[in-house]
Amino acid sequence: MQYRISASCLPFRWSLVRNLLIAASVTTAIANPPAFAAASSRKSCFSSSAANSSSSSNSNSNSSECSKMGDQQPGKATGNAYEAGSSSVAFVTTPDRESARKLARSIVELKLAACVNIVSQVESVYMWEGVISEDPEYLLMIKTRTSRIDDLSKFIRENHPYSVAEVIALPIQNGNPPYLDWIAQTVPTKAESKD
């Protein structure tokens, strides 16, 4: 890491580019798992405990393979493996920090999401009413259940300062099992919500 430069040394534009590259790499890593996480390797470590219990020798070898890799088996708290796409990341832009914080806090308080990251200093270039515009914005990265995206979109439309609010959701195909379990435990399903 000798080539890593402190953020305070970078000019504003370079900081913006760095933040966007980080956000893009996180999104890409979530949507496209790396080659070493191919289905064949996931099968041995990420299969459900019910499937592993059918063969005790198979179960022991799976556990030792996972511990060698340093991975925790998913669904340990719930007993189920993560279902790809059951959680999503939604992206929303806001015009200022105040509206970003207000939306983020309300979303988490209403349990529409487990976590909202606020990324500052995003510059958006877009076509609006026939004119190309460039504006500084704040980006919300919202982690929630896929089944709650419609509720989240409705809430944002009703509370966002823009007349046409951006809400774009991408399914999470893979990730850190304890984190994905935490999202599922934090955000209630529609049936459990208090609407």
Side-chain angles (χ1 to χ4, degrees):
M1 292 299 200
Q2 61 190 0
Y3 300 107
R4 190 171 191 163
I5 300 173
S6 168
S8 63
C9 297
L10 295 173
F12 167 74
R13 295 255 183 226
W14 283 104
S15 298
L16 171 64
V17 170
R18 184 199 64 196
N19 288 344
L20 290 175
L21 288 173
I22 290 169
S25 66
V26 168
T27 304
T28 302
I30 291 169
N32 302 316
F36 64 83
S40 60
S41 65
R42 279 196 306 258
K43 184 177 179 186
S44 64
C45 288
F46 297 131
S47 56
S48 68
S49 57
N52 288 339
S53 63
S54 63
S55 167
S56 61
S57 63
N58 200 12
S59 176
N60 291 339
S61 67
N62 285 342
S63 296
S64 63
E65 285 177 29
C66 290
S67 61
K68 286 179 192 174
M69 291 172 42
D71 292 336
Q72 180 179 354
Q73 292 185 18
K76 204 165 192 179
T78 61
N80 298 321
Y82 175 72
E83 182 182 334
S86 61
S87 294
S88 288
V89 178
F91 297 98
V92 174
T93 53
T94 64
D96 54 44
R97 181 182 298 271
E98 186 177 318
S99 60
R101 285 184 175 172
K102 184 178 177 183
L103 273 174
R105 180 167 284 282
S106 297
I107 288 166
V108 173
E109 284 175 352
L110 292 171
K111 295 190 176 186
L112 291 171
C115 175
V116 179
N117 301 112
I118 301 173
V119 181
S120 61
Q121 305 302 324
V122 174
E123 187 169 339
S124 296
V125 179
Y126 57 95
M127 179 75 70
W128 183 249
E129 298 177 345
V131 178
I132 296 177
S133 300
E134 296 184 31
D135 290 309
E137 292 185 302
Y138 287 78
L139 175 67
L140 303 181
M141 294 174 48
I142 305 166
K143 277 72 79 183
T144 188
R145 286 180 182 263
T146 301
S147 63
R148 299 303 305 271
I149 292 295
D150 290 340
D151 297 331
L152 176 66
S153 295
K154 182 178 186 258
F155 176 81
I156 290 170
R157 281 193 309 271
E158 294 171 351
N159 295 281
H160 201 284
Y162 292 160
S163 60
V164 179
E166 173 187 358
V167 181
I168 299 171
L170 302 171
I172 299 172
Q173 297 302 315
N174 200 352
N176 180 22
Y179 186 84
L180 299 173
D181 284 344
W182 171 73
I183 292 172
Q185 291 168 5
T186 304
V187 181
T189 62
K190 283 186 176 189
E192 297 168 1
S193 67
K194 298 175 184 178
D195 291 331

